[in-house]
């Protein structure tokens, strides 16, 4: 059964279409929105698809309006799906109390704690293919409703979304052809944003954090999937880097131990913003297109 989608906007862009849809997610038990850019090639054939995961405070719109990705997606003939960053309006106590926890801060995990575990299931929403009920998980919704190739998908993201992209890739070897990130939270168990999110969504017990498998550095230690090169761009003038929220060096160490090729590009003068993302998004889409065309 095809999921019921409501088209919110449709805007022509570089000969393709940038659209926003809403749908009811059974996984998250609330209405969700996502963006999808359909390149001109998708009018004639199915195309590969990139999943972009945004950072704290974002909706499905930030990337769509600020990254300037549509030009490159049209050049390479890839679709880009941009989910929202959390469930919304679930009436959970404290969901709107801070910008780095709750609404806009789903952290791409499946919560285990009582208040959050019913709705905060962003990991399953983003990754899962098979539903026992109906199409309530994003890849199913996308594959059922749009001209995309089911077996050609890759994932990328920014900050909290970079963490999400790395986790989705490392936990599902072979599912995504490639992964890349802008200023990702590389080791959430060891930084204030991650510790706040993991304590709230997964509980205070740090052993559980490891068991639940949402830290890219831990996952990389156990990774035995395809050794595709991982592209990460990180601005050297990023306040969140100096505040110890991102910890790219920790990931570098584990990748070196595991002999996984990590291309970490430290970019002079760039901060954490979408100006930084817009400056390098073309390189990231070209990186993924290389894998998606070859796989
Ligand atoms: N409100 C915060 C800053 C929030 C912020 O910078 N969010 C980033 C992602 S941070 C990590 O996940 C973002 O992408 N913002 C949206 C945008 O359009 O720039 C503060 O006041 O410090």
């Amino acid at each position: 059964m095809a999921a019921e989608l409501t088209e919110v906007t449709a805007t022509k862009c570089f000969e393709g279409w940038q659209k926003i849809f809403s749908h009811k997610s059974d996984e998250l038990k609330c209405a969700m929105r996502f963006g999808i850019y359909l390149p001109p090639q998708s009018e004639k054939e199915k195309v590969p698809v990139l999943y972009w995961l945004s950072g704290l405070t974002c909706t499905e719109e930030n990337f769509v309006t600020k990254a300037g990705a549509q030009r490159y997606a049209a050049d390479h003939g890839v679709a880009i799906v941009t989910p929202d960053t959390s469930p919304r309006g679930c009436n959970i106590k404290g969901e709107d109390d801070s910008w780095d926890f709750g609404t806009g801060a789903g952290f791409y995990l499946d919560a285990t704690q009582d208040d959050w575990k019913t709705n905060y299931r962003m990991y399953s929403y983003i990754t899962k293919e098979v539903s026992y009920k109906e199409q309530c998980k994003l890849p199913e919704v996308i594959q059922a409703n749009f001209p995309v190739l089911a077996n050609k998908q890759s994932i990328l993201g920014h900050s909290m979304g970079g963490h999400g992209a790395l986790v989705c890739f490392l936990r599902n070897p072979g599912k995504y052809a490639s992964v890349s990130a802008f200023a990702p939270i590389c080791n959430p168990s060891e930084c204030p944003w991650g510790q706040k999110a993991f304590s709230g969504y997964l509980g205070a017990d740090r052993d559980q954090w490891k068991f639940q498998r949402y830290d890219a550095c831990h996952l990389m230690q156990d990774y035995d999937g395809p050794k595709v090169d991982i592209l990460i761009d990180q601005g050297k003038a990023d306040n969140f880097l100096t505040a110890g929220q991102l910890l790219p060096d920790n990931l570098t160490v584990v990748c070196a131990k595991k002999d996984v090729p990590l291309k970490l590009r430290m970019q002079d003068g760039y901060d954490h913003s979408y100006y930084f993302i817009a400056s390098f998004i073309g390189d990231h889409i070209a990186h993924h297109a290389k894998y998606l065309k070859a796989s």
Side-chain angles (χ1 to χ4, degrees):
M1 183 178 82
E4 239 178 73
L5 296 183
T6 304
E7 191 174 286
V8 180
T9 58
T11 313
K12 192 162 186 182
C13 189
F14 294 104
E15 298 299 320
W17 287 88
Q18 177 63 61
K19 299 187 175 192
I20 304 281
F21 287 91
S22 70
H23 72 122
K24 183 183 168 302
S25 166
D26 271 8
E27 189 66 58
L28 307 178
K29 304 210 164 20
C30 67
M32 289 295 284
R33 283 187 175 201
F34 65 85
I36 183 164
Y37 177 70
L38 293 164
Q41 295 85 340
S42 69
E43 282 173 23
K44 296 207 172 103
E45 60 192 13
K46 290 188 175 189
V47 295
V49 58
L50 294 178
Y51 286 86
W52 167 271
L53 305 185
S54 288
L56 293 164
T57 71
C58 289
T59 69
E60 74 290 343
E61 254 199 316
N62 297 64
F63 180 81
V64 167
T65 56
K66 291 183 171 181
Q70 293 91 346
R71 171 192 291 272
Y72 305 104
D75 283 351
H76 290 284
V78 295
I80 308 182
V81 175
T82 54
D84 200 349
T85 55
S86 76
R88 285 179 194 269
C90 296
N91 295 318
I92 302 170
K93 190 166 169 279
E95 72 186 347
D96 293 324
D97 286 359
S98 49
W99 64 269
D100 54 3
F101 186 76
T103 303
F107 255 84
Y108 304 103
L109 51 71
D110 290 350
T112 59
Q113 298 305 287
D114 277 348
D115 288 348
W116 305 96
K117 67 183 184 192
T118 304
N119 304 101
Y120 276 66
R121 298 184 50 79
M122 287 299 287
Y123 175 74
S124 288
Y125 176 65
I126 298 292
T127 55
K128 296 275 168 69
E129 302 285 353
V130 180
S131 165
Y132 63 95
K133 265 176 136 192
E134 58 187 25
Q135 287 149 346
C136 54
K137 292 157 184 168
L138 203 53
E140 289 179 339
V141 171
I142 299 302
Q143 282 153 33
N145 290 281
F146 300 103
V148 299
L149 294 160
N151 59 349
K152 289 202 175 207
Q153 53 184 13
S154 290
I155 192 157
L156 71 167
H158 171 226
S159 198
M160 174 184 74
H163 139 78
L166 290 166
V167 166
C168 292
F169 177 84
L170 293 168
R171 283 180 63 148
N172 297 280
K175 181 182 181 79
Y176 301 100
S178 46
V179 62
S180 75
F182 292 84
I185 302 171
C186 292
N187 196 181
S189 309
E190 302 302 331
C191 76
W193 277 339
Q195 289 167 346
K196 179 172 177 176
F198 285 8
S199 302
Y201 297 133
L202 304 176
D205 179 357
R206 288 182 65 100
D207 288 342
Q208 272 300 315
W209 298 0
K210 219 164 194 175
F211 182 70
Q212 295 293 332
R213 301 171 65 229
Y214 294 114
D215 186 314
C217 283
H218 300 167
L219 289 166
M220 185 60 80
Q221 265 157 10
D222 298 335
Y223 181 72
D224 61 359
K227 288 191 175 171
V228 299
D229 54 322
I230 299 172
L231 173 62
I232 294 182
D233 275 309
Q234 173 62 62
K236 285 191 192 173
D238 180 336
N239 291 341
F240 297 125
L241 175 69
T242 39
Q245 297 282 20
L246 307 173
L247 306 174
D249 295 343
N250 296 4
L251 187 62
T252 306
V253 170
V254 197
C255 285
K257 268 192 205 147
K258 295 286 296 189
D259 203 21
V260 170
L262 168 64
K263 191 177 204 182
L264 171 62
R265 306 192 306 188
M266 298 300 295
Q267 304 285 7
D268 260 335
Y270 288 92
D271 63 15
H272 199 69
S273 71
Y274 268 87
Y275 291 107
F276 162 56
I277 295 170
S279 303
F280 299 105
I281 191 68
D283 291 356
H284 283 243
I285 292 175
H287 169 82
H288 291 292
K290 186 180 75 185
Y291 281 98
L292 289 166
K293 300 250 156 84
S295 59

